[in-house]
Amino acid sequence: GLIVAILVIPQSLAYALLAGLPPQAGLYVSIFPVIAYALLGSSMVQAVGPVAITAIMTYSVLSPLATPGSPEYIVLAAVLSLLSGAMLLACGVLRLGFLSQLLSRPVISGFISGSAVLIMISQMKYLLGVSVHGSNSSEVVLDLLSKLADSHLPTLLIGLSALALLLFVRHGLTTLLIKAGLTAGRAAFVARLMPLLIVLLGTALVVGKNLDRDYGVAVVGSVVAGIPGFDFFLPRYDNLKLLIVPAFVMTLIGMVQSITMAQALAIKRRERVDANAELVGLGAANVVAAFYGGMPVGGGLSRSAVNVAAGAQTPMASIVSALAMIAVVAGAAHWFERLPLAVLAASIMMAAYTMIDFKALRQAWAYDRADALALIGTAAGVLIFGLEIGIGLGIVLSMATLLLRVSTPHIAVLGRIPGSQHFRNVERHQVETIPGVLFIRIDERLFFGNLAAVELRLTQELQKIDHVTDLVLVMSAVNLMDATAVEVFSELNADLASRHICLHLAEVKGPVQDRLQRADLWKSLSGQVFLSTNEAFEALRPQPSWYPDI
C-alpha cells in the first residue's frame, strides 16, 4: 500500500491536470473513493483512482461547457462523477453486470486506442511549451504543427529527455537489469520505480537551476495542502440534462474496463470476481469522489499492476495506500508545486502509448476483417468526431458486424464420409451422396433477418440437381426459429409438395422441436422428422433388390 501511494502521486497529479481539474483533485480522489471500492468491490488487487480514460473523457465532455479549472468546471466534474457513480451503483444493485458484454473487444480496443492518441495530442502543448487552440483533434494538430518553430527550448529539452528515459525504462531497462544479475521480479520492481525517480529528477533540476522562475519552464504550480471536508451538494436540473448522456457513456466504458481488468487479474491469481459487486464498488467510489475531490475514478491498469508487483494480496493494501495518501495530502503536497509540466506530459504520453492496442488490430485483421474494421472505425470516430460519437459509432459497427454475420448464415450441402456415420460439406471432403436427395445444414438461428438469404440458397441448390425427390434440412446448428421462419418454411413445404419433393427435418434441437410441435408446419410436413442425419440417409437411399434362387 505504501509503495502504491508513493508511485502514483505523480500520476494522480497528472491525470487531474489532464481532466482540467486542480492537481490536488487527483490526490483527493486517491483517498476515500479508494476505501469505498476496497470495502465494496470484489477484486482482491484491483486499484481504483484517477485513470487516463476517465480523465480525457471528463475533459472532452466538460471543456466545451466551462473553462477548465474554473469553479463552474469543478462543479460539473463533480456532477459527472455523481451521475456515473449512481448509474454504476444502479447497474450493480439490479444485477446488470452482463451489460459490460454489449461492446465487443475490438470496439473497446478501438475506443481506448483512439482515446490514447487524443491524450497524446492533448499533452503535446506541455511538451513543446506552447499554447494551442482548436475544437477538435485535427485543428489542434494543425495548430501544433504551425507552432513547432515557437517551441520553448528549455521545456522541450526537459520533456524530450523525460520521454526518452521513460521509453528506455519501458523497453530496455528490465532486460538490462536481468543481465546485470537481478531476478526478473526485482528488475520489474526497479523499472516501476523509475517513472517516480524521473519525476523527482525533473523537479530537482527545476529547483536547482531555478528553471521555472528564470527560464519560464511551466510547473504544476500551487497544490492546496490539507485535507478538505466532504462537500455535499445536490446537482441542478440543467446540469443533469447536460451530463446525463456523457455520464452514461462514461458508465459503460468504466463498466467494461473495470470488470475486464478485474477478471484478468482474478484469472492470473486463480480467483473469481463478481461483476455486480464490481459495479457496486466502482459506483460507490465515484459517488464518494463526487463529494470529495470531484473527479471521476476508475480501475487503473498501471495502479493495479504496481499493486500486484508490490505484493498486494487483499483490498487492505488499497486501504493502506489511501491512509498513506492522507499523510501526503496533509503535509507533503507542496513538494510537487515545482514539478515541471513537461515531465508530467511525458509520463502521460508514455502511459497513453502503452494503451494503443496494436496487437489487437493485428489479430483482428488476421482473423476477422469485420472486427478489424470495427476497431479502426471506432478509433477513427474518436479521433475525428470525439469520444461520445466515437463510442456510438463503435456500437453501430459492432451491431452491424453481428447483423451481417447472422443475416448471411453459412449453409452447407452434406454428404456421408464412406464407412462412417459422419456428414461433412461436399466441397471440403470426399463423401457419398444419394441421387435426387439433397442434404443441407443451416449453421445459424432462423429469424426474419436471414430468411431471404436461406431461401435463395435453397433455391440455388435445388436447381443444381435434376429430379430432386427429397430435401433434408439438418437442424443441428439451429437453436431458434422465430414465427416468421416457421411461416416461411410452411410456404416452402407447400411449394415443394406441389413439385413432388418431400421436405424432411433431421437433428432438431429439443427447444426448437417443442415450439414446432405447436405449429402447422409440424403437422403438414410432407416428409419425416429424423433423429439423426444418418437415419435419414439410410431411410432415403435406394434399397438393394433381392431375388430368390431358382
Side-chain angles (χ1 to χ4, degrees):
L2 292 172
I3 291 168
V4 171
I6 293 168
L7 293 185
V8 302
I9 289 170
Q11 188 186 84
S12 300
L13 296 168
Y15 288 156
L17 293 172
L18 177 61
L21 293 164
Q24 63 270 12
L27 301 178
Y28 295 159
V29 295
S30 298
I31 302 175
F32 293 109
V34 171
I35 294 174
Y37 174 81
L39 294 175
L40 297 174
S42 68
S43 175
M44 291 290 102
V45 293
Q46 178 162 240
V48 162
V51 294
I53 287 293
T54 55
I56 192 64
M57 289 183 73
T58 300
Y59 181 80
S60 175
V61 168
L62 301 184
S63 57
L65 304 177
T67 304
S70 66
E72 184 185 0
Y73 187 97
I74 294 171
V75 168
L76 289 175
V79 173
L80 186 62
S81 181
L82 180 61
L83 279 175
S84 60
M87 289 180 186
L88 286 165
L89 266 175
C91 288
V93 171
L94 297 174
R95 308 192 67 79
L96 301 179
F98 65 89
L99 291 176
S100 64
Q101 301 170 15
L102 288 179
L103 296 178
S104 67
R105 290 291 177 91
V107 166
I108 291 297
S109 295
F111 179 81
I112 292 176
S113 298
S115 301
V117 175
L118 278 184
I119 291 169
M120 295 174 74
I121 291 171
S122 73
Q123 296 305 296
M124 284 298 295
K125 60 184 179 183
Y126 300 115
L127 201 70
L128 300 175
V130 297
S131 59
V132 295
H133 305 282
S135 58
N136 54 53
S137 57
S138 58
E139 290 180 7
V140 170
V141 169
L142 290 174
D143 198 29
L144 279 170
L145 292 174
S146 68
K147 292 180 178 177
L148 281 177
D150 301 326
S151 299
H152 188 252
L153 188 58
T155 299
L156 182 61
L157 289 175
I158 292 173
L160 290 179
S161 299
L163 194 58
L165 285 171
L166 289 167
L167 281 168
F168 170 69
V169 168
R170 175 75 183 177
H171 295 292
L173 181 62
T174 304
T175 304
L176 193 64
L177 291 173
I178 291 173
K179 288 181 179 178
L182 288 181
T183 63
R186 289 186 176 180
F189 182 71
V190 171
R192 294 192 188 282
L193 281 173
M194 289 307 295
L196 176 63
L197 295 178
I198 291 169
V199 166
L200 294 176
L201 181 62
T203 305
L205 183 64
V206 168
V207 173
K209 299 295 183 180
N210 221 23
L211 296 179
D212 53 339
R213 294 163 186 169
D214 295 343
Y215 296 93
V217 172
V219 294
V220 169
S222 176
V223 178
V224 178
I227 305 173
F230 279 85
D231 185 14
F232 184 80
F233 66 94
L234 291 174
R236 298 204 316 263
Y237 177 70
D238 55 343
N239 287 341
L240 291 176
K241 281 200 306 181
L242 278 173
L243 298 178
I244 191 73
V245 173
F248 175 75
V249 174
M250 187 174 285
T251 299
L252 189 59
I253 296 301
M255 182 188 301
V256 172
Q257 188 184 30
S258 181
I259 291 178
T260 301
M261 194 183 310
Q263 288 174 340
L265 291 169
I267 289 170
K268 288 182 181 179
R269 293 166 52 84
R270 297 183 180 180
E271 298 171 348
R272 296 186 67 182
V273 295
D274 182 347
N276 296 304
E278 279 299 294
L279 294 181
V280 169
L282 190 61
N286 274 281
V287 170
V288 172
F291 303 128
Y292 187 85
M295 179 180 178
V297 296
L301 176 60
S302 55
R303 282 172 177 262
S304 300
V306 170
N307 202 32
V308 172
Q313 297 296 326
T314 72
M316 182 57 72
S318 292
I319 294 176
V320 171
S321 176
L323 296 176
M325 191 63 75
I326 290 176
V328 172
V329 169
H334 64 281
W335 294 353
F336 301 96
E337 291 182 354
R338 299 182 73 182
L339 197 165
L341 291 180
V343 174
L344 281 184
S347 65
I348 292 174
M349 291 176 73
M350 192 64 222
Y353 168 72
T354 61
M355 289 161 54
I356 301 176
D357 203 343
F358 296 108
K359 181 181 177 182
L361 178 58
R362 287 196 301 271
Q363 290 178 340
W365 191 261
Y367 183 74
D368 191 327
R369 297 290 170 84
D371 276 342
L373 290 175
L375 190 158
I376 294 169
T378 305
V382 167
L383 289 173
I384 297 170
F385 303 112
L387 296 173
E388 293 173 62
I389 296 178
I391 193 64
L393 182 61
I395 293 172
V396 169
L397 289 171
S398 189
M399 293 298 104
T401 302
L402 178 63
L403 287 174
L404 176 65
R405 287 172 181 153
V406 298
S407 63
T408 54
H410 178 260
I411 298 175
V413 178
L414 303 182
R416 187 169 69 175
I417 295 176
S420 76
Q421 296 184 8
H422 298 291
F423 288 76
R424 293 293 184 269
N425 193 331
V426 297
E427 296 179 359
R428 296 175 181 268
H429 300 271
Q430 294 293 327
V431 295
E432 57 183 9
T433 59
I434 303 172
V437 180
L438 188 61
F439 284 79
I440 290 183
R441 188 187 69 225
I442 304 169
D443 294 336
E444 186 56 77
R445 62 178 58 195
L446 295 169
F447 75 113
F448 64 91
N450 61 13
L451 293 172
V454 171
E455 280 190 285
L456 178 62
R457 180 64 186 276
L458 291 177
T459 302
Q460 291 172 343
E461 295 300 335
L462 287 168
Q463 290 173 348
K464 290 179 183 178
I465 301 176
D466 294 330
H467 309 298
V468 177
T469 59
D470 297 272
L471 170 62
V472 181
L473 294 181
V474 180
M475 310 279 282
S476 55
V478 177
N479 56 20
L480 174 71
M481 285 183 71
D482 70 0
T484 307
V486 173
E487 200 172 316
V488 167
F489 274 79
S490 295
E491 294 170 358
L492 174 67
N493 178 59
D495 177 58
L496 292 176
S498 67
R499 294 153 57 186
H500 306 291
I501 300 173
C502 291
L503 176 65
H504 308 274
L505 305 179
E507 301 189 28
V508 183
K509 288 182 179 290
V512 177
Q513 180 171 315
D514 291 342
R515 289 179 174 230
L516 282 177
Q517 286 175 337
R518 301 195 297 267
D520 292 338
L521 172 62
W522 192 265
K523 302 168 187 173
S524 61
L525 193 67
S526 56
Q528 302 178 57
V529 178
F530 296 100
L531 188 63
S532 69
T533 309
N534 190 66
E535 181 184 317
F537 192 90
E538 291 293 339
L540 297 174
R541 73 173 182 171
Q543 302 300 318
S545 299
W546 297 94
Y547 298 95
D549 292 335
I550 298 175

